[in-house]
Amino acid sequence: MCAFRSPITHMCRCRERRHPEGETRMILTAALHVFSYAAFAVFVIAVAVRYHRIQSMPLHLRWDLYPVAHEGKRAHYGGSYFEELDWWTKPREFSLVGELKGMLPEMLFMKALWEHNRPLWFRSFPFHFGLYLLIGWAGLLLIGAIAEVAGVAVSSEGGVGALIHYLTILAGAFGFILSIIGAVALLHRRLTDEEVDGYTSPAHIFNLSLFILALAVGFLTYILADQTFSLARGYIRSLITFNLTTPIGSGAVAAEFLLFSILVAYVPLTHMSHFFTKYFFYHKIRWDDEPNFKGSRIEKEITQALGYRVSWSAPHLKADGKKNWADICTEEVDKEVREEAKKK
């Protein structure tokens, strides 16, 4: 047994005493650890950059679509603080509980999809809820790894360690099963449903295929090589303690974490980043009811937006790339357009 703990020093000191195959395995193990760190860094940076980019965009056209969840007692009938006499002289009420009551059913159970597109819900819900369980599984692996570093045994022997042990297995097993079923069902729809044929891109097929591959490898690893996820927890433990050459114990577990690392880095670079960009949809478009007072931030942003040049191809706008929104909003509407509007 080598006496040196530093990974690089450890590799150098043990070089002469190791079999070439063992040395190669150690290098590959260290490379996988470095890849996992890099994937996590890409995830954090990509989310931060995309968040900043969206946050810096011009003011979006608000929907003013009621009910607005943070209206609290008025939300159930679609009411607004605008109903109050002299509302601009009164402090606005904001109900965080109301927002949570509106958001949690949507986030966890996809309520709107259930109400408006039931066939798609049966495909999409298992996929997303399975992913939520797998996020919980990853969190439990991290908690278990921290517990083991602190000297708490994570096993079936009882106590807090047993609770973590069994919750990890439940979250992982059901997470893999549900998400695989959902991903396969969604891919089947993309490949066979003529209704979505016109807006199915190769990226949709690739993304779902990548998920299915990673989830299938994870599930098979659980069934065949790591039924208690102790090896997976060991890998997380080696990550948080920076023991890059700690043996993983299974090639399947290594493949599993290689694919998961690729997903972690890839997802925020794609349209699947809606897992956090939905915040803007709800809070800056659908539910944003902040009043536009004179001299306010909103007034400044609207004034700025009116100066943007318009190049839309819609004929009723007559945008030529030189007119700005202020020009278009203030010019007289053509007689032809007015008559067309009357017909509708």
Side-chain angles (χ1 to χ4, degrees), residues 279-298:
Y279 166 83
F280 295 98
F281 168 65
Y282 279 98
H283 292 84
K284 298 298 182 184
I285 301 174
R286 184 171 171 177
W287 289 344
D288 187 1
D289 59 351
E290 185 178 347
N292 178 20
F293 291 121
K294 185 174 178 60
S296 67
R297 173 190 60 82
I298 292 181

Side-chain angles (χ1 to χ4, degrees), residues 134 137 141 168-169 171-177 179-180 209-229 231-232 250-261 263:
L134 289 179
W137 168 73
L141 287 178
T168 304
I169 295 174
F174 283 103
F176 280 123
I177 293 170
S179 54
I180 289 173
S209 300
L210 180 59
F211 264 100
I212 291 171
L213 174 63
L215 294 168
V217 169
F219 182 66
L220 290 175
T221 301
Y222 159 63
I223 294 295
L224 302 175
D226 191 19
Q227 295 180 2
T228 63
F229 295 115
L231 294 178
S250 166
V253 175
E256 175 186 23
F257 278 97
L258 174 63
L259 288 168
F260 286 168
S261 297
L263 277 179

Side-chain angles (χ1 to χ4, degrees), residues 222-269:
Y222 159 63
I223 294 295
L224 302 175
D226 191 19
Q227 295 180 2
T228 63
F229 295 115
S230 58
L231 294 178
R233 188 181 305 109
Y235 181 71
I236 299 296
R237 187 173 65 246
S238 67
L239 282 174
I240 63 175
T241 56
F242 300 100
N243 288 319
L244 308 192
T245 57
T246 300
I248 298 174
S250 166
V253 175
E256 175 186 23
F257 278 97
L258 174 63
L259 288 168
F260 286 168
S261 297
I262 291 172
L263 277 179
V264 166
Y266 178 68
V267 166
L269 304 176

Side-chain angles (χ1 to χ4, degrees), residues 17-334:
R17 283 178 282 171
R18 285 185 179 275
H19 189 277
E21 184 180 342
E23 184 175 321
T24 301
R25 188 177 296 119
M26 188 170 63
I27 293 172
L28 291 176
T29 300
L32 179 59
H33 282 73
V34 172
F35 187 77
S36 295
Y37 291 130
F40 182 70
V42 169
F43 177 87
V44 173
I45 293 171
V47 169
V49 169
R50 181 157 287 196
Y51 182 92
H52 175 72
R53 186 175 296 170
I54 297 175
Q55 182 71 14
S56 305
M57 285 182 174
L59 189 70
H60 197 283
L61 181 64
R62 294 184 344 199
W63 286 5
D64 282 321
L65 186 63
Y66 289 83
V68 172
H70 58 239
E71 281 287 355
K73 60 185 180 183
R74 302 188 190 93
H76 73 280
Y77 66 90
S80 166
Y81 67 93
F82 292 122
E83 301 168 12
E84 295 281 340
L85 185 65
D86 298 333
W87 58 264
W88 57 91
T89 64
K90 302 175 182 177
R92 291 176 56 203
E93 296 180 8
F94 181 90
S95 173
L96 179 60
V97 174
E99 274 210 352
L100 291 176
K101 285 169 65 177
M103 291 179 62
L104 288 179
E106 183 59 38
M107 292 169 61
L108 294 178
F109 304 112
M110 311 181 80
K111 180 171 174 285
L113 195 61
W114 170 262
E115 293 173 348
H116 301 294
N117 193 339
R118 197 70 56 89
L120 180 57
W121 184 89
F122 283 111
R123 300 168 186 263
S124 191
F125 172 72
F127 176 62
H128 287 87
F129 198 77
L131 292 182
Y132 297 155
L133 289 176
L134 289 179
I135 292 171
W137 168 73
L140 287 164
L141 287 178
L142 177 61
I143 292 172
I146 294 172
E148 288 183 341
V149 171
V152 177
V154 179
S155 67
S156 60
E157 296 301 318
V160 176
L163 179 63
I164 298 172
H165 170 81
Y166 286 115
L167 286 178
T168 304
I169 295 174
L170 285 173
F174 283 103
F176 280 123
I177 293 170
L178 281 176
S179 54
I180 289 173
I181 291 173
V184 171
L186 287 171
L187 180 61
H188 175 264
R189 179 174 182 262
R190 287 285 181 186
L191 294 174
T192 61
D193 191 343
E194 294 181 356
E195 186 179 339
V196 298
D197 187 53
Y199 49 91
T200 294
S201 68
H204 289 110
I205 306 302
F206 176 80
N207 294 343
L208 286 170
S209 300
L210 180 59
F211 264 100
I212 291 171
L213 174 63
L215 294 168
V217 169
F219 182 66
L220 290 175
T221 301
Y222 159 63
I223 294 295
L224 302 175
D226 191 19
Q227 295 180 2
T228 63
F229 295 115
S230 58
L231 294 178
R233 188 181 305 109
Y235 181 71
I236 299 296
R237 187 173 65 246
S238 67
L239 282 174
I240 63 175
T241 56
F242 300 100
N243 288 319
L244 308 192
T245 57
T246 300
I248 298 174
S250 166
V253 175
E256 175 186 23
F257 278 97
L258 174 63
L259 288 168
F260 286 168
S261 297
I262 291 172
L263 277 179
V264 166
Y266 178 68
V267 166
L269 304 176
T270 69
H271 71 275
M272 294 183 288
S273 58
H274 67 260
F275 70 88
F276 77 92
T277 56
K278 268 192 172 182
Y279 166 83
F280 295 98
F281 168 65
Y282 279 98
H283 292 84
K284 298 298 182 184
I285 301 174
R286 184 171 171 177
W287 289 344
D288 187 1
D289 59 351
E290 185 178 347
N292 178 20
F293 291 121
K294 185 174 178 60
S296 67
R297 173 190 60 82
I298 292 181
E299 185 188 56
K300 292 177 182 174
E301 291 188 12
I302 291 175
T303 303
Q304 184 181 13
L306 286 172
Y308 294 145
R309 298 187 186 281
V310 185
S311 57
W312 290 10
S313 59
H316 66 282
L317 286 179
K318 294 186 176 181
D320 55 7
K322 297 178 181 177
K323 296 179 183 175
N324 59 28
W325 280 112
D327 297 328
I328 292 175
C329 292
T330 55
E331 69 185 4
E332 186 177 355
V333 180
D334 285 350

